[in-house]
Amino acid sequence: MSAITPSQVKATIEAGIPESIVQITDLTGGGDHYQAVVVSAQFAGKSLIQQHQLVYGTVSEAMASGAIHALALKTYTPETWQLEQ
């Protein structure tokens, strides 16, 4: 698989975690190292590891193919996201 765009990463995560808010940043400009900020009510009651596993599950195909080499995550519930703002 070739490089994946930030909008494709965003759409993939949003498809896998409906009603989430997703912000993607290309960390290197090379189209394969991204940071994702994901806000979802689905994270409530889950540990940070479980939250990250949920997000990684949505992009596992792109990561396995090498389209995404690295994905840094910041995950929030809507409540914790409001506190960050």
Side-chain angles (χ1 to χ4, degrees):
M1 185 174 195
S2 59
I4 186 169
T5 67
S7 60
Q8 289 171 316
V9 177
K10 181 179 191 299
T12 301
I13 294 171
E14 288 172 339
I17 306 173
E19 299 181 29
S20 59
I21 299 167
V22 181
Q23 299 172 350
I24 303 295
T25 305
D26 185 339
L27 296 175
T28 62
D32 60 357
H33 290 73
Y34 293 105
Q35 175 177 288
V37 174
V38 185
V39 182
S40 173
Q42 289 189 42
F43 296 150
K46 289 184 171 53
S47 70
L48 194 59
I49 291 171
Q50 290 170 322
Q51 293 174 20
H52 288 197
Q53 287 172 334
L54 190 60
V55 177
Y56 282 129
T58 67
V59 294
S60 61
E61 189 175 306
M63 293 191 82
S65 72
I68 298 174
H69 289 235
L71 181 65
L73 291 180
K74 293 185 180 182
T75 54
Y76 302 92
T77 63
E79 295 76 21
T80 57
W81 178 245
Q82 279 190 323
L83 296 174
E84 287 288 317
Q85 298 311 298

